[in-house]
């Protein structure tokens, strides 16, 4: 890929998780990339580890949230530049860095959204509290079978988005990770190409 991949990571007092995820990405992503660390407040503990981050040999940039909450942090990253491809990545995910190059390959094949899926063949979801698991699976199952959206894990915030999509729509969501479903629906209405690949997920043990 000729352009630098942008990996957007919303953070809120994540501390040690940031260091771990940067190491994980560095060790697993072959495409050239820059990480956008999108934070809310100037007293975030991100700044207490800034010197450690600088020694990680990972290209990164700090972006202060222009809006509010995790949805606003992601929106800040998505709208920061006109680069060709952006991936929203969870700060606590130390498993799926290995599939980022595959996601980029799908983008190069012409897809505007590449959606990692925990529920398709080859995907998995481990150690999730039973109530949360039921709700997430039910919502995704319903959307997949009762709508035209070709994604089995519609609620997942981990996504690749193309510049073509981001320049064609306005992100209206303001809460949580609703941006992900919003962009999925709008891309489907615009008849843009959407695909999914298997991903793995485990309940986090530290942080928010």
């Amino acid at each position: 890929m000729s352009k630098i991949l942008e990996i957007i990571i919303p953070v809120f007092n994540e501390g040690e998780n940031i260091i771990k995820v940067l190491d994980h990405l560095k060790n697993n992503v072959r495409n050239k990339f820059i990480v956008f660390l999108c934070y809310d407040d100037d007293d975030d503990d991100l700044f207490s580890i800034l010197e450690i981050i600088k020694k990680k040999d990972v290209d990164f940039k700090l972006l202060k949230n222009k809006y509010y909450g995790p949805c606003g942090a992601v929106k800040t990253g998505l709208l920061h530049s006109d680069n060709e491809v952006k991936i929203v990545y969870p700060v606590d995910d130390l498993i799926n860095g290995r599939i980022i190059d595959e996601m980029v390959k799908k983008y190069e094949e012409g897809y505007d959204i590449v959606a990692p899926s925990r529920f398709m063949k080859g995907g998995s979801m481990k150690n999730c509290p039973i109530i949360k698991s039921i709700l997430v699976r039910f919502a995704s199952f319903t959307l997949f079978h009762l709508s035209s959206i070709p994604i089995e894990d519609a609620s997942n915030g981990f996504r690749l988005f193309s510049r073509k999509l981001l320049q064609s729509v306005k992100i209206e969501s303001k809460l949580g990770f609703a941006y992900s479903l919003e962009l999925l629906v709008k891309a489907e209405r615009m008849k843009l190409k959407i695909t999914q690949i298997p991903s793995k997920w485990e309940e986090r043990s530290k942080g928010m």
Side-chain angles (χ1 to χ4, degrees):
M1 190 178 67
S2 59
K3 299 293 184 179
I4 298 176
L5 167 67
E6 293 180 359
I7 300 178
I8 298 160
I9 302 180
V11 300
F12 185 78
N13 291 324
E14 293 290 347
E16 185 180 343
N17 281 331
I18 297 174
I19 297 172
K20 289 180 178 180
V21 78
L22 291 179
D23 283 336
H24 177 68
L25 294 173
K26 178 181 176 181
N27 293 332
N28 287 277
V29 181
R30 294 188 301 274
N31 279 283
K32 187 174 182 180
F33 67 91
I34 180 173
V35 173
F36 288 166
L37 297 172
C38 303
Y39 67 97
D40 282 357
D41 302 309
D42 293 332
D43 60 353
D44 194 285
D45 68 3
L46 159 69
F47 294 95
S48 68
I49 59 169
L50 199 53
E51 292 305 313
I52 298 176
I53 294 175
K54 290 178 180 179
K55 296 177 182 178
K56 288 296 175 182
D57 193 28
V58 173
D59 194 8
F60 76 97
K61 184 173 183 179
L62 304 184
L63 295 181
K64 188 169 185 179
N65 190 347
K66 295 181 180 180
Y67 307 96
Y68 176 78
C71 189
V74 170
K75 184 176 178 180
T76 297
L78 290 176
L79 301 181
H80 177 70
S81 74
D82 292 329
N83 209 341
E84 288 187 10
V85 58
K86 299 169 184 264
I87 290 178
V88 180
Y89 194 84
V91 69
D92 61 331
D93 189 332
L94 304 180
I95 302 172
N96 290 302
R98 59 183 177 77
I99 68 171
I100 285 180
D101 290 317
E102 183 180 352
M103 294 170 72
V104 172
K105 184 177 179 180
K106 290 293 184 183
Y107 162 78
E108 292 173 337
E109 293 173 1
Y111 290 97
D112 292 286
I113 291 183
V114 183
S117 174
R118 299 164 289 186
F119 307 135
M120 69 181 292
K121 184 177 180 180
S124 66
M125 188 174 183
K126 296 181 179 180
N127 303 323
C128 184
I130 186 64
I131 298 300
K132 179 178 178 180
S133 178
I134 291 172
L135 291 174
V136 171
R137 289 177 184 274
F138 178 76
S140 294
F141 178 88
T142 301
L143 284 168
F144 181 66
H145 289 279
L146 299 182
S147 75
S148 59
I149 296 175
I151 298 299
E152 295 177 69
D153 193 355
S155 64
N156 197 342
F158 177 21
R159 289 277 191 275
L160 178 151
F161 301 108
S162 72
R163 176 176 64 181
K164 178 181 178 181
L165 169 62
L166 295 173
Q167 290 186 336
S168 300
V169 302
K170 178 180 179 181
I171 302 175
E172 301 174 74
S173 299
K174 296 181 179 180
L175 297 176
F177 296 94
Y179 70 88
S180 185
L181 182 56
E182 176 191 346
L183 289 174
L184 192 59
V185 171
K186 290 181 175 179
E188 174 66 14
R189 289 178 178 174
M190 294 168 62
K191 307 299 182 184
L192 298 180
K193 294 183 68 176
I194 302 170
T195 191
Q196 59 180 356
I197 63 173
S199 67
K200 301 183 184 299
W201 183 91
E202 292 184 12
E203 179 73 6
R204 67 187 295 174
S205 59
K206 295 183 67 176
M208 297 294 291

